[in-house]
Amino acid sequence: MITVSPAVWGSCPPGRRRAVVIVEEPYAGLVRVEPTGRHAEQRVIAAGPGRSLTGLLTEAGPDADVLVLAADEALLTAAPEAVTPRRTVAAAHLGTGADRIHRIRRVLRCLAQQRPAESARREERLSRALQLSGSLTLTESLAGSRARLQRAEDAGGTEPFTPGKVHAIPPTWLALDTALSLGTPTGAVTVKGHPVVGGDRVGRRAVYDRLTPLVRYPLVLDVRDGRATPVKAVEAGSDLAAATLERLFEIDPGMSAVTAVAFGSHDSTPRPPYGTRTGGRPAAEPVIHLLLGGFHTRFQLALPCVTTTVRPASGGPVLEGPAPRTGRIWRQPPAARRMLRTPPRNLPAGRPAAGRHPARTP
């Protein structure tokens, strides 16, 4: 038996009269809702084949905190008029695979580990520093890279959880077309950490697999005029990731556009292969990310900067990342765009660049 506490979806605080968990058959019989004292009623609703979330919400009743656990994406969305402001609905995608029970347990464990309030405080600290100083410096000791982050006019915080809409939990990634950018970077930026890949469902798993060396090995990107170029594999392990980026930028020049620098405020990340949800994307780490591409490109990337130190340009305490150390000065190597000559194999076939939407730049 799997016991679900309404407290686990902490990013959308419970407070309604009913606590309802919607689970696909035949697993609903293995789930129970833990009484918390906050809810007068607890229910588990089985979602049979062909059911929609709209119909299931009607069955759940009004004034309900609803958690959806499903692999079928049709059960993860509903129109606002079906949700209504009288409900809070959180939907967790279970991904694919044989062991559905294991995936339910893992999602619940990830939800229980979330610290949304702490992530929100860190994001707010960055935004406040940007408002006061106008720019931040991004430095990385191992590579000796340095960049300046200029404040964006539309900088702001993460959208808070509100009733009346379905919220994905854990949030699956930084939505490129809606993420509020901290600012515009210029200079050398070191990316390292779990990459996030969105876009084409058929090919994004292959792209993700080739970017996973970034989990262990850093890579320097040169960002100029809103465009990123992979120019320096700090360690040999990131060569594949660097070649993959170069190949993607050749296939689709719009993917080299840095569309935002956003803070990944969600730290309970189901890791691959679970998190890829048939080539999908895991959640974003609680650090700043470079967002590449957008709605007009086949793939979209969010590359974390976990080893990067963020400080006000005018000096002051460290806002994010490790304490700075004395590092060597980064210099762009000659013929940077020609540096990576061995394209990775088995990448999804590219589409002609002609006729595509123009690249979006900050």
Side-chain angles (χ1 to χ4, degrees), residues 14 21 71 107 114 142 153 157 163 175-176 212 233 252 256 260 269 292 295 314 338 345 353:
V21 177
V107 162
Q114 284 192 118
L142 176 63
E153 294 300 325
L176 291 179
T212 51
D252 185 351
S256 67
T269 307
L292 305 176
F295 66 93
S314 57
R338 298 286 183 183
R345 298 180 180 180

Side-chain angles (χ1 to χ4, degrees), residues 24-25 27 70-71 94-95 97-105:
E24 289 172 300
E25 291 180 341
Y27 306 96
L94 297 180
D99 192 350
R100 187 76 57 86
I101 296 299
H102 171 73
R103 285 179 281 131
I104 291 176
R105 293 186 186 277

Side-chain angles (χ1 to χ4, degrees), residues 298-315:
R298 182 180 179 187
F299 302 103
Q300 302 91 40
L301 308 176
L303 303 181
C305 307
V306 299
T307 57
T308 294
T309 300
V310 184
R311 305 178 70 174
S314 57

